[in-house]
Amino acid sequence: MSNIIDGKAVSAQVKQRIKEETAKLKEQGIDIGLAVVIVGDDPASKVYVRNKKKACEEVGFNSYEYALPAETTEQELLDLVNKLNADDKVNGILVQLPLPKHLDDKVIINNILPEKDVDAFHPVNVGKIMIGDYNFLPCTPAGVMELIASTGTEIQGKECVVIGRSNIVGKPMAMLLLHKSGTVTICHSKTKNLKEVASRADILVAAVGKPKIITADYIKEGAVVIDVGMDRDENGKLCGDVDFENCKDKAGFITPVPGGVGPMTIAMLMQNTLTAAKVKNGLMDNTVEQEVDTKERTVFNKLFLHT
Ligand code: GUN
């Protein structure tokens, strides 16, 4: 018996909460704006950008779309980023990735002001997530955390296995689970005995990018199984890293693809944009709560001895 986690329903709840807060801020004269920049005409990126624009409309944000030609130079893109950095109407800036090959993602991301970096890709924000002192949520991992919370599963003390070590998903995912006091293992392409490690997990997050590689023998009976994959099967049909049909009766909770993690990523992007506006207007100072209270500790303890 398993329960299917409905990402669309959970994301609708998150967006509803954001919409209500946005309406209250509007009453105080605060308008929220997200700028989305797309370079070139990658079809998948165009769909993502359209969905982001739609989500902005749903929650009551202004969205500013900048569609630049594939031949845009690095300087031209940097000029736009700098213009958006200086624009008071813009609370969040998102440059859709991947960029055309002649543009360096790193250079562009590093030039977005950290306080407008609603993807949480800037090294300053990545570092803040690492030390558990952050405003911006890494969108996909934060969406996964919401989905886990929706099952009522306690993370503290649980065996959590993350498969995948990307900077955008695997590494921040592990950090968020760790901040909630999970016992976290990160697996990757060189991991020996993946099946054995994965099947120890009470909470398994698959972010590998290989269609249906996680079958029932990789999961523990009753585990929470979260599938971050967006792959195509042998017939070109959208699927995840987890073989859903094969695993759904063994898992305690499982996300489908599509309709699981995907809708959550955009909801968390909206959350970050709201956060950026609140911080800018002095309505919020700092940091997501951690399971372990570090406030009482000395700086030395926090940095070096946190157990
Ligand atoms: N391309 C695919 N997903 C994302 C995302 O979350 N942020 C950005 N900037 N580009 C993406």
Side-chain angles (χ1 to χ4, degrees):
M1 259 289 284
S2 87
N3 286 314
I4 295 166
I5 305 172
D6 184 348
K8 273 195 195 160
V10 180
S11 84
Q13 284 165 13
V14 172
K15 282 188 285 186
Q16 180 57 32
R17 187 173 40 72
I18 295 169
K19 184 178 172 174
E20 287 164 16
E21 265 200 75
T22 302
K24 284 202 190 113
L25 291 177
K26 223 183 178 80
E27 284 169 14
Q28 299 172 44
I30 298 168
D31 262 330
I32 302 178
L34 173 66
V36 179
V37 181
I38 177 169
V39 185
D41 39 31
D42 176 62
S45 291
K46 280 181 161 176
V47 173
Y48 287 130
V49 167
R50 202 182 315 134
N51 289 339
K52 286 166 187 169
K53 196 172 170 187
K54 211 173 112 210
C56 283
E57 283 162 14
E58 276 178 62
V59 299
F61 296 169
N62 297 318
S63 74
Y64 308 102
E65 191 184 326
Y66 295 83
L68 305 183
E71 320 74 72
T72 301
T73 64
E74 185 172 287
Q75 194 53 55
E76 285 167 334
L77 185 52
L78 286 174
D79 287 346
L80 174 59
V81 166
N82 287 330
K83 191 179 96 161
L84 297 172
N85 280 339
D87 187 339
D88 260 356
K89 293 194 301 302
V90 172
N91 298 104
I93 302 169
L94 180 143
V95 177
Q96 185 68 28
L97 302 178
L99 287 168
K101 284 200 172 57
H102 66 284
L103 297 171
D104 185 343
D105 298 0
K106 230 186 338 185
V107 171
I108 305 303
I109 287 165
N110 289 358
N111 274 278
I112 297 174
L113 275 182
E115 56 269 35
K116 293 194 178 189
D117 167 42
V118 284
D119 266 322
F121 289 171
H122 190 287
V124 165
N125 289 323
V126 173
K128 281 168 159 269
I129 290 162
M130 181 84 175
I131 60 172
D133 180 14
Y134 54 103
N135 284 321
F136 290 138
L137 307 159
C139 295
T140 299
V144 170
M145 296 300 278
E146 290 279 340
L147 292 177
I148 296 169
S150 78
T151 69
T153 304
E154 177 77 23
I155 295 171
Q156 182 173 321
K158 294 280 166 58
E159 289 281 350
C160 304
V161 174
V162 178
I163 313 178
R165 56 173 153 177
S166 71
N167 289 328
I168 292 176
V169 182
K171 287 181 201 166
M173 185 74 248
M175 281 302 131
L176 298 196
L177 291 163
L178 184 62
H179 293 330
K180 289 283 180 198
S181 301
T183 301
V184 185
T185 305
I186 306 177
C187 298
H188 46 77
S189 56
K190 303 291 185 289
T191 297
K192 296 195 171 78
N193 308 323
L194 177 61
K195 200 180 283 186
E196 190 192 305
V197 179
S199 56
R200 287 205 300 262
D202 302 304
I203 297 169
L204 180 67
V205 181
V208 198
K210 291 192 182 144
K212 299 186 186 179
I213 69 152
I214 304 301
T215 46
D217 45 345
Y218 284 72
I219 67 173
K220 179 172 162 179
E221 185 89 42
V224 176
V225 178
I226 308 284
D227 189 352
V228 183
M230 276 286 217
D231 315 311
R232 297 270 166 194
D233 69 9
E234 60 283 5
N235 304 312
K237 193 165 166 258
L238 192 61
C239 70
D241 295 343
V242 177
D243 186 337
F244 182 83
E245 284 306 318
N246 189 250
C247 294
K248 72 179 187 334
D249 293 329
K250 192 169 180 188
F253 292 95
I254 187 167
T255 58
V257 175
V261 174
M264 293 306 297
T265 299
I266 292 187
M268 303 326 286
L269 174 70
M270 299 297 113
Q271 175 70 58
N272 282 347
T273 308
L274 173 64
T275 297
K278 284 164 72 174
V279 171
K280 177 178 169 244
N281 288 283
L283 300 170
M284 186 178 156
D285 56 353
N286 222 322
T287 70
V288 173
E289 250 175 66
Q290 281 191 66
E291 183 90 358
V292 180
D293 180 14
T294 55
K295 290 205 173 64
E296 301 295 310
R297 294 163 186 253
T298 64
V299 170
F300 179 83
N301 259 336
K302 267 200 259 184
L303 294 178
F304 298 99
L305 299 174
H306 194 169
T307 53

